[in-house]
Coordinates of all heavy atoms in Angstrom, one line a residue:
M11 N 126.8 100.8 118.1 CA 128.2 100.7 118.6 C 128.6 101.9 119.5 O 129.1 101.6 120.6 CB 129.1 100.5 117.4 CG 130.5 100.2 118.0 SD 131.7 100.1 116.6 CE 132.1 101.8 116.5
P12 N 128.3 103.2 119.1 CA 128.8 104.3 119.9 C 128.2 104.2 121.4 O 128.9 104.7 122.3 CB 128.3 105.5 119.2 CG 127.3 105.1 118.2 CD 127.6 103.6 117.9
W13 N 127.1 103.6 121.5 CA 126.5 103.6 122.9 C 127.3 102.8 123.9 O 127.2 103.0 125.1 CB 125.1 103.0 122.8 CG 124.2 103.7 121.7 CD1 123.6 103.1 120.6 CD2 123.9 105.1 121.6 NE1 123.0 104.1 119.9 CE2 123.2 105.3 120.5 CE3 124.3 106.2 122.4 CZ2 122.8 106.5 120.0 CZ3 123.8 107.4 122.0 CH2 123.0 107.6 120.8
D14 N 128.2 101.9 123.4 CA 129.0 101.2 124.3 C 129.9 102.1 125.1 O 130.4 101.8 126.2 CB 129.9 100.2 123.5 CG 129.1 99.1 122.9 OD1 127.9 98.9 123.2 OD2 129.7 98.4 122.0
G15 N 130.2 103.3 124.6 CA 131.0 104.3 125.2 C 130.3 104.9 126.5 O 131.0 105.6 127.2
F16 N 129.0 104.6 126.6 CA 128.4 105.3 127.8 C 128.2 104.3 128.9 O 127.2 104.3 129.7 CB 127.0 105.8 127.3 CG 127.0 107.0 126.4 CD1 126.9 106.8 125.0 CD2 127.3 108.2 126.9 CE1 127.0 107.9 124.2 CE2 127.3 109.3 126.1 CZ 127.2 109.2 124.7
A17 N 129.1 103.3 129.0 CA 129.1 102.3 130.1 C 129.3 103.0 131.5 O 129.9 104.1 131.5 CB 130.1 101.3 129.9
P18 N 128.7 102.4 132.5 CA 128.8 103.1 133.9 C 130.2 103.3 134.3 O 130.5 104.3 135.0 CB 128.1 102.0 134.8 CG 127.2 101.3 133.9 CD 127.8 101.3 132.5
S19 N 131.2 102.5 133.7 CA 132.6 102.7 134.1 C 133.1 104.1 133.6 O 134.1 104.5 134.0 CB 133.4 101.6 133.6 OG 133.3 101.5 132.2
T20 N 132.4 104.7 132.6 CA 132.9 105.9 132.1 C 132.3 107.1 132.8 O 132.5 108.3 132.4 CB 132.5 106.1 130.6 OG1 131.1 106.2 130.4 CG2 133.1 104.9 129.8
R21 N 131.4 106.9 133.8 CA 130.7 107.9 134.5 C 131.5 109.1 134.9 O 131.1 110.3 134.8 CB 130.0 107.2 135.7 CG 129.1 108.1 136.4 CD 128.6 107.4 137.7 NE 127.4 108.0 138.1 CZ 126.2 107.4 138.3 NH1 126.2 106.1 138.1 NH2 125.2 108.0 138.7
D22 N 132.7 108.8 135.5 CA 133.5 109.9 136.0 C 134.5 110.5 135.0 O 135.2 111.5 135.3 CB 134.3 109.4 137.2 CG 133.4 109.0 138.3 OD1 132.3 109.6 138.4 OD2 133.7 108.0 139.1
V23 N 134.5 110.1 133.8 CA 135.3 110.6 132.7 C 134.7 112.0 132.3 O 133.4 112.0 132.2 CB 135.4 109.7 131.5 CG1 136.1 110.3 130.4 CG2 136.0 108.4 131.8
K24 N 135.5 113.0 132.2 CA 135.0 114.3 131.8 C 134.4 114.3 130.4 O 135.1 113.9 129.4 CB 136.0 115.4 132.0 CG 135.5 116.8 131.9 CD 136.4 117.9 132.2 CE 135.9 119.2 131.8 NZ 134.5 119.3 131.4
S25 N 133.2 114.6 130.3 CA 132.5 114.6 129.0 C 131.2 115.5 129.1 O 130.9 116.0 130.1 CB 132.1 113.2 128.5 OG 131.0 112.8 129.2
G26 N 130.6 115.6 127.9 CA 129.3 116.3 127.9 C 128.1 115.5 128.3 O 127.0 116.0 128.2
A27 N 128.4 114.3 128.7 CA 127.3 113.4 129.1 C 126.7 113.8 130.5 O 127.6 113.8 131.4 CB 127.7 112.0 129.1
L28 N 125.5 114.1 130.6 CA 124.9 114.5 131.9 C 124.7 113.2 132.7 O 124.6 112.1 132.2 CB 123.6 115.2 131.7 CG 123.7 116.6 131.1 CD1 122.3 117.1 130.8 CD2 124.5 117.5 131.9
P29 N 124.6 113.4 134.1 CA 124.5 112.2 135.0 C 123.2 111.4 134.6 O 123.2 110.1 134.9 CB 124.3 112.8 136.4 CG 125.0 114.1 136.3 CD 124.8 114.6 134.9
A30 N 122.3 112.0 134.0 CA 121.0 111.3 133.7 C 121.3 110.1 132.7 O 120.6 109.1 132.7 CB 120.0 112.2 133.0
V31 N 122.4 110.2 132.0 CA 122.8 109.0 131.1 C 122.9 107.8 131.9 O 122.5 106.7 131.4 CB 124.1 109.4 130.4 CG1 124.7 108.1 129.7 CG2 123.9 110.4 129.3
Y32 N 123.4 107.9 133.2 CA 123.6 106.7 134.0 C 122.5 106.4 135.0 O 122.5 105.4 135.6 CB 125.0 106.9 134.7 CG 126.1 107.2 133.7 CD1 126.5 108.6 133.5 CD2 126.6 106.3 132.9 CE1 127.5 108.9 132.6 CE2 127.7 106.6 132.0 CZ 128.1 107.9 131.9 OH 129.0 108.2 130.9
T33 N 121.6 107.4 135.1 CA 120.5 107.2 136.1 C 119.2 106.9 135.4 O 118.5 106.0 135.8 CB 120.4 108.4 137.0 OG1 120.2 109.6 136.2 CG2 121.6 108.6 137.9
D34 N 118.9 107.6 134.3 CA 117.7 107.4 133.6 C 118.0 106.5 132.3 O 117.7 106.9 131.2 CB 117.1 108.8 133.2 CG 115.6 108.7 132.8 OD1 115.1 107.6 132.8 OD2 115.0 109.7 132.6
T35 N 118.5 105.4 132.6 CA 119.0 104.5 131.5 C 117.9 104.0 130.6 O 118.1 103.9 129.4 CB 119.7 103.3 132.0 OG1 119.0 102.6 133.0 CG2 121.1 103.7 132.6
A36 N 116.7 103.8 131.1 CA 115.6 103.4 130.2 C 115.3 104.4 129.2 O 115.1 104.1 128.0 CB 114.3 103.1 131.1
K37 N 115.2 105.7 129.6 CA 114.9 106.7 128.7 C 116.0 107.0 127.7 O 115.8 107.3 126.5 CB 114.6 108.1 129.4 CG 114.0 109.1 128.6 CD 113.5 110.3 129.3 CE 113.1 111.4 128.3 NZ 113.0 112.7 128.9
F38 N 117.2 106.8 128.2 CA 118.4 107.0 127.3 C 118.4 105.9 126.2 O 118.6 106.1 125.0 CB 119.7 106.9 128.1 CG 121.0 107.2 127.4 CD1 121.1 108.5 126.8 CD2 122.0 106.4 127.3 CE1 122.2 108.9 126.1 CE2 123.2 106.7 126.6 CZ 123.3 108.0 126.0
K39 N 118.1 104.7 126.7 CA 118.0 103.5 125.7 C 116.8 103.8 124.7 O 117.0 103.5 123.5 CB 117.7 102.2 126.5 CG 117.5 101.0 125.8 CD 118.8 100.4 125.3 CE 118.7 99.1 124.6 NZ 117.6 99.0 123.6
E40 N 115.7 104.3 125.2 CA 114.6 104.6 124.3 C 115.0 105.6 123.2 O 114.6 105.4 122.1 CB 113.5 105.3 125.2 CG 112.1 105.3 124.6 CD 111.2 106.1 125.5 OE1 111.0 105.7 126.7 OE2 110.7 107.2 125.1
G41 N 115.8 106.6 123.6 CA 116.3 107.5 122.6 C 117.2 106.9 121.5 O 117.1 107.2 120.3
Q42 N 118.0 105.9 122.0 CA 118.8 105.1 121.0 C 117.9 104.3 120.1 O 118.2 104.3 118.8 CB 119.7 104.2 121.8 CG 120.7 104.8 122.7 CD 121.4 103.9 123.7 OE1 121.5 102.6 123.4 NE2 121.9 104.3 124.8
D43 N 116.9 103.7 120.6 CA 116.0 102.9 119.8 C 115.3 103.8 118.8 O 115.1 103.5 117.6 CB 115.0 102.2 120.6 CG 115.6 101.1 121.5 OD1 116.8 100.7 121.1 OD2 115.0 100.6 122.5
R44 N 114.8 105.0 119.2 CA 114.1 105.9 118.4 C 115.0 106.3 117.2 O 114.6 106.4 116.1 CB 113.6 107.1 119.2 CG 112.5 107.9 118.5 CD 112.0 108.9 119.4 NE 111.4 108.4 120.7 CZ 111.3 109.1 121.8 NH1 111.8 110.3 121.9 NH2 110.7 108.5 122.9
L45 N 116.3 106.6 117.6 CA 117.2 107.0 116.5 C 117.4 105.9 115.5 O 117.4 106.2 114.3 CB 118.6 107.4 117.1 CG 119.6 107.9 116.2 CD1 119.2 109.2 115.6 CD2 121.0 108.1 116.9
R46 N 117.6 104.7 116.0 CA 117.8 103.6 115.1 C 116.5 103.4 114.2 O 116.7 103.2 112.9 CB 118.0 102.3 115.9 CG 118.5 101.1 115.0 CD 119.0 99.9 115.8 NE 119.9 100.2 116.9 CZ 119.6 100.1 118.2 NH1 118.4 99.7 118.6 NH2 120.5 100.4 119.1
N47 N 115.3 103.6 114.7 CA 114.1 103.5 113.9 C 114.0 104.5 112.8 O 113.7 104.2 111.6 CB 112.9 103.6 114.8 CG 112.7 102.4 115.7 OD1 113.3 101.3 115.4 ND2 111.9 102.5 116.7
E48 N 114.3 105.8 113.2 CA 114.2 106.9 112.2 C 115.3 106.7 111.2 O 115.0 107.1 110.0 CB 114.3 108.2 112.9 CG 113.1 108.5 113.9 CD 111.8 108.7 113.2 OE1 111.7 108.6 112.0 OE2 110.8 108.8 114.0
I49 N 116.4 106.2 111.5 CA 117.5 106.1 110.5 C 117.1 104.9 109.6 O 117.4 105.0 108.4 CB 118.9 105.9 111.2 CG1 119.3 107.2 111.8 CG2 119.9 105.4 110.2 CD1 120.6 107.1 112.6
T50 N 116.5 103.9 110.1 CA 116.1 102.8 109.3 C 115.1 103.3 108.2 O 115.1 102.9 107.1 CB 115.5 101.6 110.1 OG1 116.5 101.2 111.1 CG2 115.1 100.4 109.3
R51 N 114.2 104.1 108.7 CA 113.2 104.7 107.8 C 113.8 105.6 106.8 O 113.4 105.6 105.6 CB 112.2 105.6 108.6 CG 111.1 104.8 109.4 CD 110.0 105.6 109.9 NE 109.3 106.3 108.8 CZ 108.5 107.3 109.0 NH1 108.4 107.9 110.2 NH2 107.9 107.8 107.9
L52 N 114.8 106.4 107.2 CA 115.6 107.2 106.3 C 116.2 106.4 105.1 O 116.1 106.8 104.0 CB 116.6 108.0 107.0 CG 117.5 109.0 106.1 CD1 116.6 110.0 105.4 CD2 118.5 109.7 107.0
V53 N 116.8 105.3 105.5 CA 117.4 104.4 104.5 C 116.3 103.9 103.5 O 116.5 104.0 102.3 CB 118.1 103.2 105.1 CG1 118.6 102.2 104.1 CG2 119.3 103.7 105.9
A54 N 115.2 103.5 104.0 CA 114.1 103.0 103.2 C 113.6 104.1 102.2 O 113.4 103.9 101.1 CB 113.0 102.4 104.0
I55 N 113.4 105.3 102.8 CA 112.8 106.4 102.1 C 113.8 106.9 101.0 O 113.4 107.2 99.9 CB 112.4 107.5 103.0 CG1 111.2 107.1 103.8 CG2 112.1 108.8 102.2 CD1 110.8 108.1 104.9
S56 N 115.1 106.9 101.3 CA 116.1 107.3 100.4 C 116.2 106.4 99.1 O 116.4 106.8 98.0 CB 117.5 107.5 101.0 OG 118.0 106.2 101.4
E57 N 115.8 105.1 99.3 CA 115.8 104.2 98.2 C 114.6 104.5 97.3 O 114.6 104.1 96.1 CB 115.8 102.8 98.7 CG 117.1 102.3 99.1 CD 117.2 101.1 100.0 OE1 116.1 100.6 100.4 OE2 118.3 100.7 100.3
S58 N 113.6 105.2 97.8 CA 112.4 105.5 97.0 C 112.7 106.7 96.0 O 112.0 106.9 95.0 CB 111.2 106.0 97.9 OG 111.5 107.3 98.3
G59 N 113.8 107.5 96.3 CA 114.2 108.6 95.4 C 113.2 109.7 95.5 O 113.4 110.7 94.8
D60 N 112.3 109.8 96.5 CA 111.4 111.0 96.7 C 112.1 112.0 97.5 O 112.3 111.9 98.7 CB 110.2 110.5 97.4 CG 109.2 111.6 97.6 OD1 109.6 112.8 97.6 OD2 108.0 111.3 97.9
E61 N 112.6 113.1 96.8 CA 113.5 114.0 97.5 C 112.8 114.7 98.7 O 113.4 114.9 99.8 CB 114.0 115.1 96.5 CG 115.1 115.9 97.0 CD 115.6 117.0 96.0 OE1 115.6 116.6 94.8 OE2 115.9 118.1 96.4
D62 N 111.6 115.1 98.5 CA 110.9 115.8 99.6 C 110.7 114.9 100.8 O 110.9 115.3 102.0 CB 109.5 116.3 99.1 CG 109.6 117.5 98.2 OD1 110.7 118.1 98.2 OD2 108.6 117.8 97.5
A63 N 110.4 113.6 100.6 CA 110.2 112.7 101.7 C 111.5 112.5 102.4 O 111.6 112.3 103.6 CB 109.7 111.4 101.1
V64 N 112.6 112.4 101.6 CA 114.0 112.3 102.2 C 114.3 113.4 103.1 O 114.7 113.3 104.3 CB 115.1 112.0 101.2 CG1 116.5 112.1 101.8 CG2 114.8 110.7 100.4
K65 N 114.0 114.6 102.6 CA 114.3 115.9 103.4 C 113.5 115.8 104.7 O 114.0 116.2 105.8 CB 113.9 117.1 102.6 CG 115.0 117.4 101.5 CD 114.6 118.7 100.8 CE 115.6 119.0 99.7 NZ 115.0 120.0 98.7
A66 N 112.2 115.4 104.6 CA 111.4 115.4 105.8 C 111.9 114.4 106.8 O 111.9 114.6 108.0 CB 109.9 115.1 105.4
Q67 N 112.4 113.3 106.3 CA 112.8 112.2 107.2 C 114.2 112.7 107.8 O 114.5 112.3 109.0 CB 113.0 110.9 106.5 CG 113.3 109.7 107.3 CD 112.3 109.5 108.5 OE1 111.1 109.9 108.4 NE2 112.8 108.9 109.6
I68 N 115.0 113.4 107.1 CA 116.2 113.9 107.7 C 115.9 114.8 108.9 O 116.5 114.7 110.0 CB 117.1 114.7 106.7 CG1 117.7 113.7 105.7 CG2 118.2 115.5 107.3 CD1 118.4 114.3 104.5
L69 N 114.8 115.6 108.7 CA 114.4 116.5 109.9 C 113.9 115.6 111.0 O 114.1 116.0 112.2 CB 113.3 117.5 109.4 CG 113.8 118.5 108.4 CD1 112.6 119.4 108.0 CD2 115.0 119.3 109.0
A70 N 113.3 114.5 110.7 CA 112.8 113.6 111.8 C 113.9 113.0 112.6 O 113.9 112.9 113.8 CB 111.9 112.5 111.2
V71 N 115.0 112.6 111.8 CA 116.2 112.1 112.5 C 116.8 113.2 113.4 O 117.2 113.0 114.6 CB 117.2 111.6 111.4 CG1 118.6 111.3 112.1 CG2 116.7 110.4 110.7
N72 N 117.0 114.4 112.8 CA 117.5 115.6 113.5 C 116.8 115.8 114.9 O 117.4 116.1 115.9 CB 117.5 116.8 112.6 CG 118.2 118.0 113.2 OD1 119.3 117.8 113.7 ND2 117.5 119.1 113.2
K73 N 115.4 115.6 114.8 CA 114.6 115.8 116.0 C 115.0 114.9 117.1 O 115.0 115.2 118.3 CB 113.1 115.7 115.6 CG 112.3 116.9 115.9 CD 111.0 116.8 115.3 CE 109.9 116.5 116.4 NZ 108.6 116.4 115.7
V74 N 115.3 113.6 116.7 CA 115.7 112.7 117.7 C 117.0 113.0 118.3 O 117.2 112.9 119.5 CB 115.7 111.2 117.1 CG1 116.1 110.2 118.2 CG2 114.4 110.9 116.5
C75 N 118.0 113.4 117.5 CA 119.3 113.9 118.0 C 119.1 115.0 119.0 O 119.6 114.9 120.1 CB 120.1 114.4 116.9 SG 120.3 113.5 115.4
N76 N 118.4 116.0 118.6 CA 118.1 117.1 119.5 C 117.4 116.8 120.8 O 117.7 117.2 121.9 CB 117.4 118.3 118.8 CG 118.2 118.9 117.8 OD1 119.4 118.9 117.8 ND2 117.6 119.6 116.8
G77 N 116.4 115.9 120.6 CA 115.6 115.5 121.8 C 116.4 114.8 122.8 O 116.3 115.1 124.0
C78 N 117.4 114.0 122.4 CA 118.2 113.3 123.4 C 119.2 114.2 124.0 O 119.5 114.2 125.2 CB 118.9 112.1 122.7 SG 119.7 111.1 124.0
H79 N 119.8 115.1 123.1 CA 120.8 116.1 123.7 C 120.2 117.0 124.7 O 120.8 117.4 125.7 CB 121.4 116.9 122.5 CG 122.3 116.1 121.6 ND1 122.7 116.5 120.3 CD2 122.8 114.8 121.8 CE1 123.4 115.6 119.8 NE2 123.5 114.5 120.6
E80 N 118.9 117.4 124.5 CA 118.2 118.2 125.4 C 118.2 117.7 126.8 O 118.4 118.4 127.8 CB 116.7 118.3 124.9 CG 115.9 119.4 125.4 CD 116.4 120.8 125.0 OE1 116.9 121.0 123.8 OE2 116.5 121.6 125.9
T81 N 118.0 116.4 126.9 CA 118.0 115.7 128.3 C 119.3 115.2 128.7 O 119.6 115.2 129.9 CB 117.0 114.5 128.1 OG1 115.8 114.9 127.5 CG2 116.6 114.0 129.6
F82 N 120.1 114.8 127.9 CA 121.3 114.0 128.3 C 122.7 114.6 128.0 O 123.6 114.0 128.4 CB 121.2 112.6 127.6 CG 120.1 111.7 128.1 CD1 119.0 111.5 127.3 CD2 120.1 111.2 129.4 CE1 117.9 110.8 127.8 CE2 119.1 110.4 129.9 CZ 118.0 110.2 129.0
R83 N 122.7 115.7 127.3 CA 123.9 116.3 127.0 C 124.1 117.7 127.5 O 123.1 118.5 127.5 CB 124.1 116.4 125.4 CG 125.4 116.8 125.0 CD 125.5 116.9 123.4 NE 126.7 117.5 123.0 CZ 126.9 118.0 121.7 NH1 125.9 117.9 120.8 NH2 128.0 118.5 121.4
E84 N 125.2 118.0 128.1 CA 125.4 119.3 128.6 C 125.2 120.4 127.6 O 125.6 120.2 126.4 CB 127.0 119.3 129.1 CG 127.3 120.1 130.3 CD 128.7 119.8 130.8 OE1 129.6 120.1 130.1 OE2 128.8 119.2 131.9
K85 N 124.7 121.5 128.0 CA 124.4 122.6 127.1 C 125.8 123.1 126.5 O 126.7 123.2 127.3 CB 123.7 123.8 127.8 CG 122.3 123.4 128.3 CD 121.3 123.4 127.2 CE 120.0 122.7 127.6 NZ 120.0 121.3 127.7
Q86 N 125.9 123.3 125.3 CA 127.1 123.8 124.6 C 127.4 125.2 124.9 O 126.5 126.0 124.9 CB 127.1 123.5 123.2 CG 126.9 122.0 122.9 CD 128.0 121.1 123.5 OE1 129.2 121.2 123.1 NE2 127.7 120.3 124.5
Ligands
HEC6 C1 120.2 108.5 123.0 C2 120.7 109.9 123.1 C3 121.4 110.6 121.9 C4 121.0 110.6 120.6 C5 119.8 109.9 120.0 C6 122.0 111.3 119.9 N1 123.0 111.8 120.8 FE1 124.6 112.9 120.3 N2 125.2 112.9 122.3 C7 124.5 112.3 123.3 C8 125.3 112.6 124.5 C9 124.9 112.0 125.9 C10 126.4 113.3 124.2 C11 127.5 113.8 125.1 C12 128.7 112.8 125.0 C13 130.0 113.3 125.4 O1 130.3 114.5 125.6 O2 131.0 112.4 125.5 C14 126.3 113.5 122.7 C15 127.3 114.2 122.0 C16 127.2 114.4 120.6 C17 128.2 115.2 119.9 C18 129.5 115.8 120.4 C19 130.6 114.7 120.5 C20 131.9 115.1 121.2 O3 132.8 114.4 121.0 O4 131.9 116.2 121.8 C21 127.8 115.2 118.6 C22 128.6 115.8 117.4 C23 126.5 114.5 118.5 N3 126.2 114.0 119.8 C24 125.8 114.3 117.4 C25 124.6 113.6 117.3 C26 123.9 113.4 116.1 C27 124.1 114.0 114.7 C28 122.8 112.7 116.5 C29 121.6 112.1 115.6 C30 121.9 111.6 114.3 C31 122.9 112.3 117.9 N4 124.0 112.9 118.3 C32 122.0 111.6 118.6 C33 123.4 111.6 123.2 C34 122.7 111.3 122.0

């Protein structure tokens, strides 16, 4: 749902979204899919109750967040 906020009509709204969000849309979409996959895995792993596996998967999710911000979000 949050991705709806990145519609082309919002391009000129002041935000931390870099222009690549609107030009490299395939890669931006890929980042969204990757995030969804890793979060789905996190849910599955958390049901296993294996704490170390859960921690490792949280880091995997975090990597996807950072990976996308690296390319698509203005440096803070
Ligand atoms: C597919 C790309 C992508 C992924 C994956 C992604 N983000 Fe972002 N995120 C962005 C972009 C682009 C912005 C800048 C948007 C803006 O300033 O309006 C942003 C902004 C943010 C902000 C600042 C929001 C604000 O109002 O200033 C936070 C917090 C954030 N992301 C957290 C996360 C977390 C946590 C994850 C992983 C669970 C994540 N993001 C995954 C693209 C992504």
Side-chain angles (χ1 to χ4, degrees):
M11 187 186 84
W13 308 121
D14 294 346
F16 292 98
S19 61
T20 68
R21 185 184 201 126
D22 298 325
V23 176
K24 191 171 167 11
S25 79
L28 293 176
V31 165
Y32 306 101
T33 54
D34 199 352
T35 50
K37 190 169 174 203
F38 190 57
K39 177 79 175 46
E40 193 186 303
Q42 297 168 24
D43 291 343
R44 198 171 300 151
L45 183 64
R46 193 171 308 114
N47 290 341
E48 294 296 355
I49 288 174
T50 303
R51 285 192 60 198
L52 178 60
V53 172
I55 290 171
S56 64
E57 282 164 356
S58 77
D60 180 342
E61 194 180 325
D62 288 341
V64 170
K65 284 181 183 162
Q67 186 57 26
I68 288 172
L69 293 179
V71 170
N72 187 47
K73 238 168 103 179
V74 182
C75 308
N76 290 337
C78 187
H79 292 164
E80 199 60 45
T81 313
F82 292 105
R83 185 182 173 194
E84 215 164 65
K85 298 281 167 286
Q86 300 301 293

